[in-house]
Amino acid sequence: MKDKVLLFINGDAPKSFPNLENYNLIACTDGAFHYLKELNFPLDKLDFISGDFDSHIGSDENVYQDKFILTLDQEKTDFHKALEIILEKGFYDIDVLGGSGGEQDHFLGNLTVAYSFKNNLNIKFYDDFSEYYFIPKNFTLKNVKNKMISLYPFPSAENITTKGLNWPLTNDSLSMISRIGTRNFAAEDEISIQYGSGDLLFFVGINDIEYPEIY
């Protein structure tokens, strides 16, 4: 497998960019191409721009035409089609910016797409508030004390046991339609999560929190 991919999709534009030197491939969907231009992103760093180009206009079409990958399948989102291209190129680790914000049906759709690829790609979303991704049955994370931690069942997860969280779980179950595990926080520097079945979408906040609440 090759190294990391940075993928921009058409949600809220990021306020800053990560170090581009950390990535072997950088790509965007055609909708994200708009905000990258407005933010003066170095477009020559893009390896490809994918989509049906129904939202793409501008003089940059000719300049970057050799980087366009036209994907016309209307049964799949531009995010889904971009992931297929990345998978075909042999990559595994993908950092996604622009996955949240904007129209919320897009956000939910992006999570569903990521779920469908979770066995083949390691996808992490980043926004102005948190990073989030699907976690394996045995999971450990360090350097998170006082960070917001949320566990969201997708759609359910059973026999969950946590260590290091302010409100621990012990052989508990979570379900999208009954009980979810949002707005917890890390009471220790290292946390661990184990669960027996189902899937968990894990959120960790970027900033420390002073007055945690649980809903």
Side-chain angles (χ1 to χ4, degrees), residues 83-152:
L83 292 179
E84 288 182 329
I85 295 169
I86 292 167
L87 184 60
E88 288 175 1
K89 290 181 177 293
F91 290 89
Y92 178 70
D93 291 310
I94 306 171
D95 290 349
V96 177
L97 276 68
S100 60
E103 297 176 352
Q104 292 306 299
D105 56 337
H106 282 175
F107 173 59
L108 294 174
N110 291 336
L111 296 180
T112 303
V113 168
Y115 177 80
S116 70
F117 280 89
K118 68 182 179 62
N119 294 326
N120 298 304
L121 296 172
N122 179 35
I123 302 168
K124 289 188 176 182
F125 294 92
Y126 295 84
D127 62 25
D128 294 335
F129 305 100
S130 61
E131 60 184 78
Y132 46 101
Y133 42 89
F134 290 96
I135 58 172
K137 298 295 191 294
N138 292 281
F139 176 76
T140 300
L141 189 64
K142 298 179 179 180
N143 302 318
V144 290
K145 187 173 182 178
N146 295 325
K147 303 291 186 184
M148 183 276 294
I149 303 292
S150 288
L151 304 179
Y152 193 83

Side-chain angles (χ1 to χ4, degrees), residues 114-210:
Y115 177 80
S116 70
F117 280 89
K118 68 182 179 62
N119 294 326
N120 298 304
L121 296 172
N122 179 35
I123 302 168
K124 289 188 176 182
F125 294 92
Y126 295 84
D127 62 25
D128 294 335
F129 305 100
S130 61
E131 60 184 78
Y132 46 101
Y133 42 89
F134 290 96
I135 58 172
K137 298 295 191 294
N138 292 281
F139 176 76
T140 300
L141 189 64
K142 298 179 179 180
N143 302 318
V144 290
K145 187 173 182 178
N146 295 325
K147 303 291 186 184
M148 183 276 294
I149 303 292
S150 288
L151 304 179
Y152 193 83
F154 210 89
S156 63
E158 298 182 352
N159 302 118
I160 306 166
T161 297
T162 67
K163 294 181 180 179
L165 296 183
N166 190 64
W167 293 284
L169 300 175
T170 303
N171 293 323
D172 285 307
S173 296
L174 298 176
S175 171
M176 188 183 294
I177 61 173
S178 59
R179 180 193 181 196
I180 58 177
T182 58
R183 309 306 295 181
N184 207 328
F185 76 99
E188 300 178 12
D189 191 60
E190 178 176 316
I191 62 170
S192 65
I193 302 163
Q194 296 179 326
Y195 61 105
S197 61
D199 288 286
L200 280 175
L201 183 61
F202 173 83
F203 292 76
V204 54
I206 292 175
N207 300 314
D208 292 353
I209 54 177
E210 298 180 0

